[in-house]
Amino acid sequence: MDAAAEVFAEHGFRNATVREICQRAGANVAAVNYHFGDKASLYAAVLAELSRLAQDRFPSDAGLDDNATPRQRLTAFIRSFLQRVLSEDLSARHGRIMAREMVEPTEALDRMARDYIQPQADLLRDILRDLLPPGTDPALTRLCGLSIVGQILFYAHCRPVLQRLQPEGAFAVPELDRLAEHITRFSLAALDALGRHNATTPRGRSGTRPALPR
Amino acid sequence: MDAAAEVFAEHGFRNATVREICQRAGANVAAVNYHFGDKASLYAAVLAELSRLAQDRFPSDAGLDDNATPRQRLTAFIRSFLQRVLSEDLSARHGRIMAREMVEPTEALDRMARDYIQPQADLLRDILRDLLPPGTDPALTRLCGLSIVGQILFYAHCRPVLQRLQPEGAFAVPELDRLAEHITRFSLAALDALGRHNATTPRGRSGTRPALPR
Amino acid sequence: MDAAAEVFAEHGFRNATVREICQRAGANVAAVNYHFGDKASLYAAVLAELSRLAQDRFPSDAGLDDNATPRQRLTAFIRSFLQRVLSEDLSARHGRIMAREMVEPTEALDRMARDYIQPQADLLRDILRDLLPPGTDPALTRLCGLSIVGQILFYAHCRPVLQRLQPEGAFAVPELDRLAEHITRFSLAALDALGRHNATTPRGRSGTRPALPR
Amino acid sequence: MDAAAEVFAEHGFRNATVREICQRAGANVAAVNYHFGDKASLYAAVLAELSRLAQDRFPSDAGLDDNATPRQRLTAFIRSFLQRVLSEDLSARHGRIMAREMVEPTEALDRMARDYIQPQADLLRDILRDLLPPGTDPALTRLCGLSIVGQILFYAHCRPVLQRLQPEGAFAVPELDRLAEHITRFSLAALDALGRHNATTPRGRSGTRPALPR
DNA sequence: AATGAATGAGCCTTCATTCAT
DNA sequence: GATGAATGAAGGCTCATTCAT
């Protein structure tokens, strides 16, 4: 399973070959079929295992006590999410594989979405509800969540591009602490502003909202 | 090449098959090798052509006159970027292919990064420079750019997941206008706040900056 | 297709290998998939072709003119059926393959039954209707047909056993003429007797019918 | 061995898998090789065992006393043969396996022919000798025997086809009693007629024999 | 004595590529 | 100039068999 995780993370489900997995594991080609039935089941097993690992290692509420403020909870959420996505060790495979699932979904994605992603989405929604003023349009809450997640996943998806941009090295993925701090600060600033505005014009689509340029 | 663009956008380089391309083009299986040498060269040709097309069709300064404000320029940038990436329109193939390249780079990515992505990155950097106070740390400018691009590309990369989240339909990719408006508003709010703060403590790493929670 | 017919006749659909077919045909392993799509389609094509050949070469009404008597038509039916089943040349493959289909049916059997076997069954039924007295129970007509076909197909199915029985050679499949004559004579005798009896006790299940022993 | 008999009867030697056998027996995959050496030896063992069982269970002289008439003996022969071949009963496996061996012989067939089929053939020959007039050409006796066996085995071999013929259900394999009765009656009628005729023209190939049509 | 794990040969199929025409 | 036919490498999978325990 270790070898499988590596190869799947590297090539994706479809392009990973059982042969490479087995070779890297020092096992026979038939080993996968013997132990897991087929390639897809191995993949499912790997995904389940990695999800578990990632959740254990980087819980979304790392270091929070029961009376943590919403800002603290968002900070922890972003940081642990980034860790799961960026860390180079074992659980990094999880991020890579998830990224691939998003671009080229397999049947396994359904289960992942239900068991793994949905809870995260719910958690983030709850945090944002506490951060935004009561009565905020749920659609707006959702969009804010997606803006936050987008900032994070960007580093999981686009690393190859960042490495190729000039000036050389300037776009290397920043160290995790710096990154977590930035995304948190950027997002909190936006949420504060949107919340402030929204509080005065609850629900309504536009009204006195400061006009967008153009 | 038209057929190739379609198929590559749909399946990515590796999973696209020469057969499907030729079939869709009503041509012989050997046509690709005859006209382009091999599959990779066809891909390169398609990418070059699409880059040219995309630049023409969705210029990042769409509808702006020479004395557009930075806010207007950012608004236009976000909107045209989203269009390139999301529209189902023929000419959107470029965006889809690029998104795939980011997750699963081929040799073509080097050229793409240099010729196509880099100018976009430079353009965004220039806009942000104008939006943020003079003297802002270039690293921060960069991070802000990545936060904006991340929010946009998220919808290109993660659509399959969004479709699978509950409540059913609530996470469907919003219509482009709504999305562009949100991302613009979210980002401008963040930039304003970060700029305001940064203006008072130029350069310095932290200082009197309002402490992050935790 | 020639090689395929040979190999399928020899080993049956499932146990025939594409490799052997291609090797025997001096072609590449991928040839089957190129020309026919897959093994099953090749098999279907072979079956269709052989059916056509067999029908053409040994028509069930060989040598009959329009006012042939029922006895003459049964004679011709049995003889041509045996020819199709026993002849060692091309069309013999047809018999072997059909025999295998019966023991281990594939999806192709449905089509064969409908297009090839059913018409033969109908033809035989018509002949028997003319041979048996009017009012004969259709179920009896059917059983008589099966008795006749059974006698014929026996030589297609059980050749391997006949060759192994003592006295050596006594059970070799007799020459076709001798066999056709015997089966015809045996069956006509039975039909005459059953018809005679049945004519006196139409329909009824037993009655004055000569009691079966035991 | 019980599980093996089941699986071999169902799928034939080649298509039966050791895995299915062991699974059905609740044993380990290696059990076959451990206890019997290899698949072929297991098959041989099963066949030997089944032959013994079948002889015991469906004796060809079932219910006959010593002074049974030849007609009674033929009736019993046909009936027990049909039972061995058709019954879904556990001990019918032998018949099913034999039917398969005839179409797709394995090395085991030699032994089977010698030990099991030959005695049956001899028994039938003896019955027919008593039924046909003295001096009947042994070749004719043989052909009559094959005609009878052919009618019986037909139902063992061609069931899949019968199920596919129109009118729906009309060709379903009839219940054993009805079938045994028909085959017996059909065959006795034929034997009587052939015997009557043959008695007047002993040996001779044709002569005054009523001309076959055509 | 018996087994779970592992093996390697072989199967059908797919695909980019080549080649004779 | 262009193509239909053909190729061989590779992929996932099945299966009888072997082997260490």
Side-chain angles (χ1 to χ4, degrees), chain C residues 75-92:
Chain C
T75 304
F77 179 90
I78 291 173
R79 186 183 171 75
S80 63
F81 201 157
L82 270 171
Q83 281 179 316
R84 283 196 292 272
V85 154
L86 290 185
S87 83
E88 295 290 346
D89 73 2
L90 279 194
S91 43

PDB file of all heavy atoms in Angstrom, chain C residues 75-92:
ATOM      1  N   THR C  75     -35.804 -37.595 -46.209  1.00  0.00           N
ATOM      2  CA  THR C  75     -34.534 -38.197 -46.630  1.00  0.00           C
ATOM      3  C   THR C  75     -33.494 -37.117 -46.944  1.00  0.00           C
ATOM      4  O   THR C  75     -32.347 -37.193 -46.491  1.00  0.00           O
ATOM      5  CB  THR C  75     -34.759 -39.067 -47.880  1.00  0.00           C
ATOM      6  OG1 THR C  75     -35.769 -40.041 -47.583  1.00  0.00           O
ATOM      7  CG2 THR C  75     -33.469 -39.762 -48.289  1.00  0.00           C
ATOM      8  N   ALA C  76     -33.927 -36.125 -47.700  1.00  0.00           N
ATOM      9  CA  ALA C  76     -32.996 -35.051 -48.068  1.00  0.00           C
ATOM     10  C   ALA C  76     -32.574 -34.254 -46.835  1.00  0.00           C
ATOM     11  O   ALA C  76     -31.404 -33.890 -46.689  1.00  0.00           O
ATOM     12  CB  ALA C  76     -33.646 -34.124 -49.095  1.00  0.00           C
ATOM     13  N   PHE C  77     -33.516 -34.027 -45.947  1.00  0.00           N
ATOM     14  CA  PHE C  77     -33.216 -33.267 -44.735  1.00  0.00           C
ATOM     15  C   PHE C  77     -32.138 -33.966 -43.913  1.00  0.00           C
ATOM     16  O   PHE C  77     -31.145 -33.352 -43.495  1.00  0.00           O
ATOM     17  CB  PHE C  77     -34.488 -33.105 -43.898  1.00  0.00           C
ATOM     18  CG  PHE C  77     -34.289 -32.353 -42.621  1.00  0.00           C
ATOM     19  CD1 PHE C  77     -34.426 -30.975 -42.580  1.00  0.00           C
ATOM     20  CD2 PHE C  77     -33.951 -33.020 -41.441  1.00  0.00           C
ATOM     21  CE1 PHE C  77     -34.242 -30.273 -41.394  1.00  0.00           C
ATOM     22  CE2 PHE C  77     -33.749 -32.328 -40.260  1.00  0.00           C
ATOM     23  CZ  PHE C  77     -33.897 -30.956 -40.229  1.00  0.00           C
ATOM     24  N   ILE C  78     -32.351 -35.241 -43.678  1.00  0.00           N
ATOM     25  CA  ILE C  78     -31.398 -35.999 -42.858  1.00  0.00           C
ATOM     26  C   ILE C  78     -30.033 -36.037 -43.512  1.00  0.00           C
ATOM     27  O   ILE C  78     -28.999 -35.803 -42.873  1.00  0.00           O
ATOM     28  CB  ILE C  78     -31.917 -37.436 -42.622  1.00  0.00           C
ATOM     29  CG1 ILE C  78     -33.141 -37.395 -41.704  1.00  0.00           C
ATOM     30  CG2 ILE C  78     -30.828 -38.328 -42.056  1.00  0.00           C
ATOM     31  CD1 ILE C  78     -33.828 -38.737 -41.531  1.00  0.00           C
ATOM     32  N   ARG C  79     -30.027 -36.267 -44.799  1.00  0.00           N
ATOM     33  CA  ARG C  79     -28.758 -36.397 -45.496  1.00  0.00           C
ATOM     34  C   ARG C  79     -27.969 -35.077 -45.471  1.00  0.00           C
ATOM     35  O   ARG C  79     -26.779 -35.063 -45.163  1.00  0.00           O
ATOM     36  CB  ARG C  79     -29.024 -36.813 -46.934  1.00  0.00           C
ATOM     37  CG  ARG C  79     -27.763 -37.101 -47.685  1.00  0.00           C
ATOM     38  CD  ARG C  79     -28.023 -37.443 -49.135  1.00  0.00           C
ATOM     39  NE  ARG C  79     -26.767 -37.504 -49.832  1.00  0.00           N
ATOM     40  CZ  ARG C  79     -25.912 -38.501 -49.719  1.00  0.00           C
ATOM     41  NH1 ARG C  79     -26.240 -39.551 -48.978  1.00  0.00           N
ATOM     42  NH2 ARG C  79     -24.746 -38.467 -50.336  1.00  0.00           N
ATOM     43  N   SER C  80     -28.650 -33.987 -45.758  1.00  0.00           N
ATOM     44  CA  SER C  80     -27.917 -32.715 -45.802  1.00  0.00           C
ATOM     45  C   SER C  80     -27.466 -32.308 -44.397  1.00  0.00           C
ATOM     46  O   SER C  80     -26.387 -31.750 -44.213  1.00  0.00           O
ATOM     47  CB  SER C  80     -28.780 -31.619 -46.422  1.00  0.00           C
ATOM     48  OG  SER C  80     -29.920 -31.384 -45.615  1.00  0.00           O
ATOM     49  N   PHE C  81     -28.286 -32.609 -43.414  1.00  0.00           N
ATOM     50  CA  PHE C  81     -27.927 -32.304 -42.026  1.00  0.00           C
ATOM     51  C   PHE C  81     -26.650 -33.068 -41.650  1.00  0.00           C
ATOM     52  O   PHE C  81     -25.684 -32.510 -41.122  1.00  0.00           O
ATOM     53  CB  PHE C  81     -29.078 -32.698 -41.108  1.00  0.00           C
ATOM     54  CG  PHE C  81     -29.067 -32.014 -39.778  1.00  0.00           C
ATOM     55  CD1 PHE C  81     -30.251 -31.897 -39.039  1.00  0.00           C
ATOM     56  CD2 PHE C  81     -27.920 -31.481 -39.234  1.00  0.00           C
ATOM     57  CE1 PHE C  81     -30.259 -31.282 -37.793  1.00  0.00           C
ATOM     58  CE2 PHE C  81     -27.929 -30.863 -37.988  1.00  0.00           C
ATOM     59  CZ  PHE C  81     -29.098 -30.769 -37.278  1.00  0.00           C
ATOM     60  N   LEU C  82     -26.638 -34.336 -41.967  1.00  0.00           N
ATOM     61  CA  LEU C  82     -25.445 -35.141 -41.684  1.00  0.00           C
ATOM     62  C   LEU C  82     -24.227 -34.598 -42.415  1.00  0.00           C
ATOM     63  O   LEU C  82     -23.125 -34.544 -41.848  1.00  0.00           O
ATOM     64  CB  LEU C  82     -25.687 -36.596 -42.100  1.00  0.00           C
ATOM     65  CG  LEU C  82     -26.271 -37.501 -41.022  1.00  0.00           C
ATOM     66  CD1 LEU C  82     -26.675 -38.841 -41.618  1.00  0.00           C
ATOM     67  CD2 LEU C  82     -25.254 -37.714 -39.899  1.00  0.00           C
ATOM     68  N   GLN C  83     -24.438 -34.208 -43.653  1.00  0.00           N
ATOM     69  CA  GLN C  83     -23.309 -33.651 -44.403  1.00  0.00           C
ATOM     70  C   GLN C  83     -22.740 -32.424 -43.715  1.00  0.00           C
ATOM     71  O   GLN C  83     -21.529 -32.282 -43.559  1.00  0.00           O
ATOM     72  CB  GLN C  83     -23.763 -33.278 -45.810  1.00  0.00           C
ATOM     73  CG  GLN C  83     -23.846 -34.476 -46.744  1.00  0.00           C
ATOM     74  CD  GLN C  83     -24.326 -34.066 -48.125  1.00  0.00           C
ATOM     75  OE1 GLN C  83     -25.257 -33.288 -48.242  1.00  0.00           O
ATOM     76  NE2 GLN C  83     -23.693 -34.609 -49.145  1.00  0.00           N
ATOM     77  N   ARG C  84     -23.641 -31.542 -43.299  1.00  0.00           N
ATOM     78  CA  ARG C  84     -23.167 -30.331 -42.627  1.00  0.00           C
ATOM     79  C   ARG C  84     -22.394 -30.670 -41.365  1.00  0.00           C
ATOM     80  O   ARG C  84     -21.430 -30.024 -41.010  1.00  0.00           O
ATOM     81  CB  ARG C  84     -24.355 -29.437 -42.254  1.00  0.00           C
ATOM     82  CG  ARG C  84     -24.913 -28.662 -43.426  1.00  0.00           C
ATOM     83  CD  ARG C  84     -25.798 -27.531 -42.934  1.00  0.00           C
ATOM     84  NE  ARG C  84     -27.020 -28.021 -42.321  1.00  0.00           N
ATOM     85  CZ  ARG C  84     -28.134 -28.271 -42.975  1.00  0.00           C
ATOM     86  NH1 ARG C  84     -28.194 -28.084 -44.275  1.00  0.00           N
ATOM     87  NH2 ARG C  84     -29.195 -28.724 -42.345  1.00  0.00           N
ATOM     88  N   VAL C  85     -22.852 -31.710 -40.700  1.00  0.00           N
ATOM     89  CA  VAL C  85     -22.280 -32.037 -39.398  1.00  0.00           C
ATOM     90  C   VAL C  85     -20.993 -32.852 -39.514  1.00  0.00           C
ATOM     91  O   VAL C  85     -20.081 -32.715 -38.709  1.00  0.00           O
ATOM     92  CB  VAL C  85     -23.326 -32.797 -38.563  1.00  0.00           C
ATOM     93  CG1 VAL C  85     -22.672 -33.678 -37.540  1.00  0.00           C
ATOM     94  CG2 VAL C  85     -24.271 -31.810 -37.905  1.00  0.00           C
ATOM     95  N   LEU C  86     -20.914 -33.661 -40.524  1.00  0.00           N
ATOM     96  CA  LEU C  86     -19.801 -34.608 -40.589  1.00  0.00           C
ATOM     97  C   LEU C  86     -18.701 -34.254 -41.579  1.00  0.00           C
ATOM     98  O   LEU C  86     -17.559 -34.647 -41.381  1.00  0.00           O
ATOM     99  CB  LEU C  86     -20.336 -36.000 -40.943  1.00  0.00           C
ATOM    100  CG  LEU C  86     -21.154 -36.677 -39.865  1.00  0.00           C
ATOM    101  CD1 LEU C  86     -21.509 -38.082 -40.294  1.00  0.00           C
ATOM    102  CD2 LEU C  86     -20.367 -36.703 -38.563  1.00  0.00           C
ATOM    103  N   SER C  87     -19.065 -33.537 -42.633  1.00  0.00           N
ATOM    104  CA  SER C  87     -18.069 -33.349 -43.690  1.00  0.00           C
ATOM    105  C   SER C  87     -16.788 -32.779 -43.098  1.00  0.00           C
ATOM    106  O   SER C  87     -16.820 -31.914 -42.231  1.00  0.00           O
ATOM    107  CB  SER C  87     -18.608 -32.445 -44.782  1.00  0.00           C
ATOM    108  OG  SER C  87     -18.434 -31.105 -44.411  1.00  0.00           O
ATOM    109  N   GLU C  88     -15.686 -33.280 -43.587  1.00  0.00           N
ATOM    110  CA  GLU C  88     -14.405 -32.915 -42.983  1.00  0.00           C
ATOM    111  C   GLU C  88     -13.891 -31.584 -43.505  1.00  0.00           C
ATOM    112  O   GLU C  88     -12.937 -31.044 -42.970  1.00  0.00           O
ATOM    113  CB  GLU C  88     -13.349 -33.994 -43.279  1.00  0.00           C
ATOM    114  CG  GLU C  88     -13.658 -35.337 -42.654  1.00  0.00           C
ATOM    115  CD  GLU C  88     -13.496 -35.287 -41.137  1.00  0.00           C
ATOM    116  OE1 GLU C  88     -12.910 -34.310 -40.647  1.00  0.00           O
ATOM    117  OE2 GLU C  88     -13.978 -36.208 -40.459  1.00  0.00           O
ATOM    118  N   ASP C  89     -14.482 -31.079 -44.536  1.00  0.00           N
ATOM    119  CA  ASP C  89     -13.917 -29.863 -45.119  1.00  0.00           C
ATOM    120  C   ASP C  89     -14.378 -28.613 -44.366  1.00  0.00           C
ATOM    121  O   ASP C  89     -14.888 -28.696 -43.249  1.00  0.00           O
ATOM    122  CB  ASP C  89     -14.267 -29.773 -46.604  1.00  0.00           C
ATOM    123  CG  ASP C  89     -15.725 -29.428 -46.800  1.00  0.00           C
ATOM    124  OD1 ASP C  89     -16.425 -29.224 -45.785  1.00  0.00           O
ATOM    125  OD2 ASP C  89     -16.160 -29.382 -47.957  1.00  0.00           O
ATOM    126  N   LEU C  90     -14.188 -27.499 -44.981  1.00  0.00           N
ATOM    127  CA  LEU C  90     -14.503 -26.208 -44.373  1.00  0.00           C
ATOM    128  C   LEU C  90     -15.721 -26.224 -43.456  1.00  0.00           C
ATOM    129  O   LEU C  90     -15.664 -25.831 -42.303  1.00  0.00           O
ATOM    130  CB  LEU C  90     -14.769 -25.185 -45.482  1.00  0.00           C
ATOM    131  CG  LEU C  90     -13.530 -24.558 -46.119  1.00  0.00           C
ATOM    132  CD1 LEU C  90     -13.919 -23.345 -46.933  1.00  0.00           C
ATOM    133  CD2 LEU C  90     -12.554 -24.169 -45.012  1.00  0.00           C
ATOM    134  N   SER C  91     -16.821 -26.680 -44.018  1.00  0.00           N
ATOM    135  CA  SER C  91     -18.071 -26.506 -43.303  1.00  0.00           C
ATOM    136  C   SER C  91     -18.184 -27.436 -42.097  1.00  0.00           C
ATOM    137  O   SER C  91     -19.114 -27.322 -41.313  1.00  0.00           O
ATOM    138  CB  SER C  91     -19.240 -26.712 -44.247  1.00  0.00           C
ATOM    139  OG  SER C  91     -18.972 -27.837 -45.062  1.00  0.00           O
ATOM    140  N   ALA C  92     -17.223 -28.346 -41.972  1.00  0.00           N
ATOM    141  CA  ALA C  92     -17.275 -29.227 -40.814  1.00  0.00           C
ATOM    142  C   ALA C  92     -17.058 -28.415 -39.551  1.00  0.00           C
ATOM    143  O   ALA C  92     -17.568 -28.726 -38.479  1.00  0.00           O
ATOM    144  CB  ALA C  92     -16.216 -30.307 -40.919  1.00  0.00           C
TER     145      ALA C  92
END
